[in-house]
Amino acid sequence: MVDQSNMEMGEPGSSMHGVTGREATYNLSTSNVPTDPDTHFDLPVDSEHMATKFKLFSFAQPHMRSFHLSWISFFTCFISTFAAPPLIPIIRDNLDLTKTDIGNAGIASVSGVIFSRLVMGALCDLVGPRYGCAFMIMLTAPAVFCMANVSTATGFILVRFFIGFSLATFVSCQYWMSTMFNSKIVGLANGMAGGWGNMGGGATQLIMPLVYELIHSRFGSTPFTAWRIAFFIPGFAHIFMGLCVLILGQDLPDGNYAALHKEGNKVKDDFSKVFFYAVTNYRAWILGLTYGYCFGVELTIDNVIAEYFYDKFHLQLHTAGFIAASFGLANIVSRPGGGVLSDIAARRFGMRGRLWTLWIVQTCGGLSCIWLGRSNSLALAITVMIIFSVFCQGACGLTYGVIPFVSRRALGIISGMGGAGGAAGAVLTQFLFFSGSKYSTETGLSLMGVMIIVCTLPVGFIYFPQWGGMVCPPSKAEGATEERYYGDEWSEEEKLKGYHEASMKFADNSRSERGSRVASLPTPPGGRTPEHA
């Protein structure tokens, strides 16, 4: 029998519908979430078998193993996608690349990601993150190897375009964490996995010049041969990680999608409905725009920063690469820090705290980007770049502290829309400010900072009836509850069949987004979770 509160939810598809995620609060564990003692997991879990503790140095199946597989695979893809920029001074001489060619290659490297991330989101919803991640990383391996045979500017641009598809693994990474970790710590898990994966953008600035120097100096290869051989390293890494994910990974705490569908323990959802509820949720579009000017900016910086220091301050190739690497390597703390900060804000102020913190941090990132473009000394430029990296990457973690709550049923596509927005922001900023000779790199950085500030303003329009928004408090209407918000994505017929039960479990867990200091709705009568089916 369906609970009466669900029968009064109204028709799905309104602009205020939504479906979930799973968020974090603070710390590495949760103390106020009931655990399920009748399980075989290494970590304590909740009623959905999502881990309530995060043990960084554990490789236990399935929770922590999924964490390590997701961030390492994403890290590998970042290395291959941005392996060319630190070697550009050599590659441009070999292929006679113009500044326009280099700019177009940078655009190409992130433009394909827009499409591939949307596809990855759908794959995660339909076949699971394991297959999606493994197939994407292995299918792009041939493109990495093809870089060794490039002989023209057009070929260079095309190869970078196809390698960039691999960055879709970010979506599987975030989706995986959102299905493995309880809402109290999912912000931390998402921040750690995404941030450590993003470190590949910094690590490649160190790794590729060192690999090049080793091949050139120790093995006697010519410069124009050495850079080509260097691309075999990330190519083999793709194949290795793809096999690891396929063999060692697991889609959900209770098993893989195929097995769960066969056993009847997971509903095989209708893609058209999942897609509909994703694209009609305006919050997903705003967060995609916002992510375009934190993660998208980070991708742009990965493409231009090494060449910027090399040309502006006349540095050695490996020195410019070392400085540029510090921007990406800051992800080891800055993006996870953003996720933790989001959880802290939510613990006290609920969802409104998450939104305010995101707006403040990303706006500070825009201001520091303007400052970076106006820095005229090497020491100042390096200092401001580090400050900028903390705000920029922290905003990435903060964005994915909100995204998991936007939708439960369409979590994969919503995650993909956010990730695609990041890539779209990179394409747009690279095209407007760093392709051709209209603007110097310094001017482009300052203009990009202005764009960050402007594109962060729409965060103020995000509103959850049960939690409120930056300006408006939660709705006082009787039906403005977590159960209604997440239940509105299911038809009455689907509810009668019990398809919405997972969403209702999450709705109960997401009450923490009311915060301890923000006025919010009371829990259901008797302080209990309503019976949903």
Side-chain angles (χ1 to χ4, degrees), residues 35 57 107 109 118 142 200 220 241 269 291 317-318 338 355 458 475 484-486 529:
T35 59
F57 299 107
I107 294 171
S109 69
L118 291 173
M241 279 311 303
D269 216 336
Y291 199 60
L317 180 63
H318 66 275
L355 296 172
S475 171
R484 176 164 186 170
Y485 181 80
Y486 293 115
T529 303

Side-chain angles (χ1 to χ4, degrees), residues 487-508:
D488 272 356
E489 288 205 321
W490 302 92
S491 68
E492 295 304 321
E493 182 181 353
E494 289 171 326
K495 291 173 186 174
L496 288 171
K497 295 178 180 178
Y499 292 174
H500 69 312
E501 289 180 4
S503 293
M504 294 301 97
K505 286 182 180 180
F506 182 80
D508 187 48

Side-chain angles (χ1 to χ4, degrees), residues 414-427:
I414 295 288
S415 298
M417 290 171 67
V427 171

Side-chain angles (χ1 to χ4, degrees), residues 1-9 500 528 530-533:
M1 180 176 181
V2 180
D3 181 75
Q4 184 65 26
S5 63
N6 290 330
M7 296 296 290
E8 298 171 353
M9 286 179 182
H500 69 312
R528 61 180 178 82
E531 296 177 6
H532 307 296

Side-chain angles (χ1 to χ4, degrees), residues 351-374:
M351 177 57 69
R352 302 180 74 187
R354 291 187 191 275
L355 296 172
W356 269 106
T357 309
L358 169 59
W359 179 78
I360 291 169
V361 170
Q362 188 149 317
T363 299
C364 289
L367 293 172
S368 59
C369 188
I370 295 173
W371 190 12
L372 176 61
R374 295 175 176 270

Side-chain angles (χ1 to χ4, degrees), residues 89-104:
I90 308 300
I91 298 174
R92 69 185 177 188
D93 291 340
N94 187 190
L95 302 180
D96 296 323
L97 301 178
T98 64
K99 183 175 181 180
T100 300
D101 293 330
I102 295 171
N104 288 338

Side-chain angles (χ1 to χ4, degrees), residues 311-344:
D311 291 335
K312 182 176 177 64
F313 299 106
H314 310 290
L315 303 176
Q316 295 294 321
L317 180 63
H318 66 275
T319 304
F322 181 81
I323 295 171
S326 61
F327 179 85
L329 291 175
N331 270 295
I332 195 169
V333 294
S334 55
R335 181 159 183 156
V340 171
L341 183 60
S342 180
D343 294 342
I344 294 173

Side-chain angles (χ1 to χ4, degrees), residues 122-140:
L123 288 174
C124 287
D125 279 326
L126 298 176
V127 301
R130 173 173 150 265
Y131 276 151
C133 179
F135 290 161
M136 184 62 72
I137 196 172
M138 287 194 288
L139 286 173
T140 51

